[in-house]
């Protein structure tokens, strides 16, 4: 919601929707456009005639809807409004997904940094013990250098990930106005899962948009079909003639004008709309296929990430316990320092896998809910 409030394109999309609705209201009228005024003045004095013949002539005409054209035009405008609303929902979906992606990446980095800092604290103690053991001649310089290298590698990794986190937080700041990372893992997966049981690709905003575009193309074709000739006009004309001793000087009559239908005009117009309907149907089918594939991918991602999380949690528990045991064994001289360092690295990698899997399955669940159109 914060990102939507900060999005500069949100207001533009809302304006498009309002403009389409106002257009539909305006087209729901008795006439397709306003009245047409026409006036003429004729005078034979300009050519030097002595007859004194002068004519004033004026008319006001109104265009008429062709049969079914007015209703078709209103439906076309309403279809444009529906398309604008659907486009608004798709834009909101894309914004929500972008916020989700940045939040997911930030959360993964934050968890990884936490695990790295915890491991760094343990290695810091190991480094101090190693330094004392080296001074006392209890371990070789090679073993001590291995501890130093591992510690420095952890330090450099932390710096690199902190820099990446700052980048994502800056993007989050630009999107939402705040660099605070939302607590993605705090979402109740059970509540989200209840919504997933109601998943329907037809509710996806992208599918609704292509359906709206198809209806818009069909409505435009209907307008073209009922616009088989230019709109006729009908009105009233007044003519005043001034001539010496003329028994008549003013006339009032009806004016009607209509251009006859022409295949040269109508066929290209109709075929253009037929092509647009075909393209809209193609886009609708492709969009449905894409959404179904994405639904399947997200479901698979949820299942695989939950499986990874389960195994990573078991692996983490075992490897952390093993690393602690090897640390105690190293301090008593039962195992080598290198073996202990490898165990600590294995435990760290298991923690990172679990942290990533935890975020991935939450993000996949939220993305499925967003695809149902529940962006706000």
């Amino acid at each position: 919601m914060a990102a939507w409030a900060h999005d500069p394109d949100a207001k533009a999309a809302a304006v498009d929707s309002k403009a389409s609705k106002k257009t539909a209201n305006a087209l729901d009228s008795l006439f397709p456009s306003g009245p047409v005024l026409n006036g003429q003045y004729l005078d034979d004095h300009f050519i030097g005639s002595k007859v004194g013949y002068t004519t004033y002539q004026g008319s006001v005409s109104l265009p008429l809807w062709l049969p079914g054209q007015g209703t078709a035009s209103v439906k076309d405008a309403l279809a444009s409004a529906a398309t604008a609303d659907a486009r608004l929902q798709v834009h909101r979906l894309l914004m929500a997904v972008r916020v989700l992606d940045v939040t997911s990446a930030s959360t993964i980095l934050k968890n990884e940094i936490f695990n790295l800092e915890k491991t760094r604290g343990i290695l810091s103690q190991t480094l101090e013990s190693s330094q004392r053991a080296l001074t006392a001649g209890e371990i070789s310089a090679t073993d001590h250098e291995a501890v130093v290298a591992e510690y420095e590698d952890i330090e450099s990794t932390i710096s690199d990930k902190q820099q990446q986190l700052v980048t994502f937080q800056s993007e989050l700041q630009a999107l939402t106005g705040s660099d605070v990372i939302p607590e993605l893992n705090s979402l109740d997966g059970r509540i989200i899962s209840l919504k997933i049981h109601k998943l329907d690709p037809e509710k996806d905003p992208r599918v609704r948009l292509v359906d709206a575009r198809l209806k818009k193309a069909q409505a435009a074709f209907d307008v073209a079909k009922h616009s088989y000739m230019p709109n006729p006009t009908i009105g009233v004309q007044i003519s005043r003639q001034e001539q010496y001793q003329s028994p008549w000087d003013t006339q009032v009559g009806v004016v009607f004008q209509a251009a006859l239908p022409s295949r040269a005009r109508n066929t290209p117009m109709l075929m253009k709309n037929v092509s647009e309907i075909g393209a809209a149907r193609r886009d609708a089918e492709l969009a449905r296929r894409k959404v179904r594939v994405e639904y399947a991918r997200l479901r698979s991602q949820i299942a695989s990430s939950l499986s990874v999380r389960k195994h990573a949690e078991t692996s983490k528990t075992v490897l952390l316990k093993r690393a602690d045991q090897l640390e105690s064994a190293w301090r008593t001289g039962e195992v080598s320092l290198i073996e202990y360092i490898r165990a600590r690295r294995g435990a760290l990698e298991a923690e990172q896998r679990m942290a990533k899997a935890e975020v991935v399955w939450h993000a996949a669940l939220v993305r499925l809910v967003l695809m149902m159109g529940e962006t706000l």
Side-chain angles (χ1 to χ4, degrees):
M1 292 177 67
W4 187 244
H6 281 76
D7 183 15
D9 292 331
K11 292 182 179 179
V15 168
D16 289 343
S17 177
K18 291 180 180 178
S20 298
K21 292 174 182 177
K22 287 186 177 181
T23 300
N25 292 332
L27 285 173
D28 191 13
S29 63
L30 296 176
F31 304 99
S33 61
V36 179
L37 299 177
N38 186 24
Q40 293 181 346
Y41 170 77
L42 302 174
D43 193 336
D44 63 353
H45 290 88
F46 294 110
I47 59 175
S49 173
K50 297 181 180 180
V51 177
Y53 189 90
T54 303
T55 301
Y56 304 90
Q57 189 169 284
S59 66
V60 55
S61 303
L62 283 169
L64 302 175
W65 290 111
L66 294 171
Q69 187 185 40
T71 301
S73 297
V74 172
K75 289 181 179 179
D76 180 53
L78 291 174
S80 296
T83 302
D85 288 339
R87 190 180 300 113
L88 188 69
Q89 294 300 323
V90 170
H91 187 75
R92 185 175 290 169
L93 170 65
L94 295 177
M95 172 60 67
V97 169
R98 184 57 192 155
V99 173
L100 175 62
D101 289 343
V102 176
T103 299
S104 301
S106 302
T107 304
I108 289 174
L109 284 171
K110 185 175 68 173
N111 293 341
E112 288 180 344
I113 291 172
F114 174 79
N115 293 331
L116 286 165
E117 289 177 340
K118 183 175 64 174
T119 303
R120 180 181 62 181
I122 297 173
L123 286 177
S124 176
Q125 298 175 0
T126 304
L127 185 59
E128 293 177 1
S129 300
S130 174
Q131 182 64 53
R132 289 194 297 269
L134 177 64
T135 303
E138 298 175 357
I139 63 172
S140 65
T142 303
D143 287 349
H144 177 68
E145 289 170 357
V147 179
V148 173
E150 184 71 11
Y151 182 84
E152 293 299 329
D153 182 64
I154 295 292
E155 282 281 14
S156 63
T157 303
I158 290 175
S159 298
D160 179 59
K161 291 190 178 297
Q162 285 177 335
Q163 185 274 328
Q164 295 178 39
L165 181 60
V166 170
T167 301
F168 281 115
Q169 284 182 305
S170 299
E171 187 170 356
L172 199 61
Q173 172 78 36
L175 286 172
T176 66
S178 173
D179 62 354
V180 177
I181 302 171
E183 291 294 333
L184 184 63
N185 291 348
S186 66
L187 293 173
D188 189 344
R190 290 172 298 178
I191 295 177
I192 299 176
S193 298
L194 291 176
K195 295 183 178 181
I196 290 179
H197 290 307
K198 302 177 183 178
L199 281 179
D200 182 2
E202 297 300 315
K203 295 181 180 179
D204 191 288
R206 292 166 295 181
V207 172
R208 290 180 174 178
L209 175 59
V210 292
D211 283 345
R213 286 175 175 170
L214 176 58
K215 292 179 181 178
K216 172 65 178 72
Q218 292 170 335
F221 174 77
D222 197 35
V223 172
K225 186 174 64 175
H226 288 90
S227 303
Y228 48 85
M229 58 184 284
N231 293 92
T233 61
I234 188 170
V236 178
Q237 178 174 299
I238 299 177
S239 176
R240 177 177 176 79
Q241 300 176 353
E242 294 182 356
Q243 186 179 9
Y244 180 68
Q245 292 183 350
S246 173
W248 58 86
D249 59 0
T250 304
Q251 294 175 310
V252 179
V254 177
V255 179
F256 178 77
Q257 183 176 355
L260 297 179
S262 170
R263 291 183 61 188
R265 170 187 174 272
N266 296 339
T267 301
M269 180 173 61
L270 288 173
M271 291 304 101
K272 178 183 177 182
N273 285 277
V274 168
S275 298
E276 291 177 353
I277 290 176
R281 285 175 175 165
R282 175 204 62 201
D283 293 342
E285 180 60 29
L286 291 176
R288 280 180 167 79
R289 291 180 184 180
K290 181 179 179 181
V291 169
R292 291 192 189 101
V293 169
E294 188 169 351
Y295 270 54
R297 180 182 64 80
L298 288 173
R299 286 179 177 275
S300 176
Q301 189 178 52
I302 292 172
S304 63
S305 59
L306 284 173
S307 177
V308 170
R309 179 187 178 278
K310 177 182 177 181
H311 294 300
E313 185 175 15
T314 303
S315 177
K316 166 193 167 183
T317 303
V318 172
L319 290 176
L320 280 175
K321 184 177 180 180
R322 179 174 179 270
D324 292 339
Q325 291 174 344
L326 288 179
E327 181 181 12
S328 300
W330 166 69
R331 293 184 183 281
T332 58
E334 298 177 7
V335 297
S336 66
L337 181 57
I338 299 299
E339 187 175 355
Y340 161 62
I341 293 298
R342 288 174 179 170
R344 185 59 67 186
R345 169 64 72 171
L348 173 62
E349 292 174 352
E351 286 183 310
Q352 302 294 55
R353 286 195 301 271
M354 179 181 170
K356 183 176 181 178
E358 182 73 19
V359 173
V360 167
W361 82 268
H362 276 91
L365 283 173
V366 174
R367 187 157 186 157
L368 280 175
V369 173
L370 292 178
M371 289 170 64
M372 295 169 60
E374 298 189 21
T375 53
L376 288 180

